[in-house]
Amino acid sequence: QWFPFCLESTVLKAWAPNEHLTHLVLGIWAFKVDIVLYVYIRECLDSPEPFVEGIMASPPTVDGKFLGVEIPPAKKGTSRVTIPFQRIRGYPTGWNTLRIVAFAQMETSMSSLGWMACKVWKILSTRVIPMLVQRYEAQCKAQPVPAELETRMDAHVPMMNRMRERLNALLGEETDTTGSG
């Protein structure tokens, strides 16, 4: 899986390459949490202080649905974690560096395990933007993408190419992203 500790990831609905509803099951050892997230990725590289951000929240449900999409019940053996709001913003400082700012509000029905889930999610969520950059670099360097992800990756290419053009304008032409010299 592309995300640390991710046991399952299901896109319930993708409205656009930068907007989707996803069901995640995360786990470490015997501890498992279940999260449904609405995610919107916003690119503001033309702003005075350029950034890319991911805005996430667990959607409210009416009759088990959100915007007509069926929300699955929590998986057996997991605890459902609700994230009322989370914003992760990355300010590019170079081709290989990024200043990350994260804001999160979380709720869970668990006591100490819920607290641990929230802490783990906060730590992991700050890695999302650098991972997206790594995924994009892998695509650009034509490394094989698993067949099951090809269609979804292809849908992201135009958005990622626009971001690369804006980063080129902001940071100058990319010379070496491997850090090898």
Side-chain angles (χ1 to χ4, degrees):
Q1 298 283 348
W2 66 273
F3 195 78
F5 309 112
C6 182
L7 303 175
E8 294 178 41
S9 173
T10 306
V11 176
L12 302 173
K13 174 78 175 179
W15 290 276
N18 64 328
E19 183 180 21
H20 55 90
L21 186 64
T22 302
H23 180 219
L24 300 170
V25 176
L26 305 172
I28 185 167
W29 303 299
F31 176 69
K32 294 181 185 174
V33 295
D34 177 285
I35 306 168
V36 176
L37 281 177
Y38 167 81
V39 178
Y40 182 79
I41 298 170
R42 188 169 80 133
E43 176 267 305
C44 295
L45 294 171
D46 292 334
S47 67
E49 194 170 358
F51 64 90
V52 175
E53 75 179 347
I55 302 167
M56 296 160 260
S58 297
T61 60
V62 177
D63 297 326
K65 293 184 178 185
F66 173 69
L67 296 176
V69 179
E70 190 78 31
I71 303 297
K75 295 256 181 180
K76 186 176 181 178
T78 67
S79 296
R80 174 73 42 99
V81 173
T82 302
I83 301 172
F85 176 80
Q86 180 166 328
R87 173 178 278 163
I88 302 170
R89 201 176 262 193
Y91 297 90
T93 56
W95 277 105
N96 297 314
T97 56
L98 189 67
R99 181 173 57 95
I100 296 175
V101 178
F103 302 96
Q105 176 185 359
M106 305 175 107
E107 296 174 2
T108 181
S109 58
M110 301 178 299
S111 56
S112 60
L113 288 179
W115 176 86
M116 184 186 294
C118 291
K119 283 291 193 190
V120 168
W121 180 251
K122 286 177 186 178
I123 291 166
L124 292 178
S125 64
T126 59
R127 298 178 185 204
V128 170
I129 293 173
M131 277 191 227
L132 289 174
V133 171
Q134 288 173 351
R135 300 281 289 179
Y136 178 62
E137 286 176 349
Q139 177 73 13
C140 290
K141 292 176 182 173
Q143 293 179 0
V145 173
E148 67 273 10
L149 296 178
E150 281 184 22
T151 304
R152 293 207 56 234
M153 291 292 288
D154 288 347
H156 289 80
V157 170
M159 177 182 76
M160 299 303 276
N161 283 338
R162 281 191 303 277
M163 288 175 62
R164 184 183 254 342
E165 288 171 11
R166 290 184 176 139
L167 284 168
N168 278 335
L170 179 69
L171 302 171
E173 286 292 321
E174 179 181 21
T175 55
D176 179 24
T177 61
T178 64
S180 61

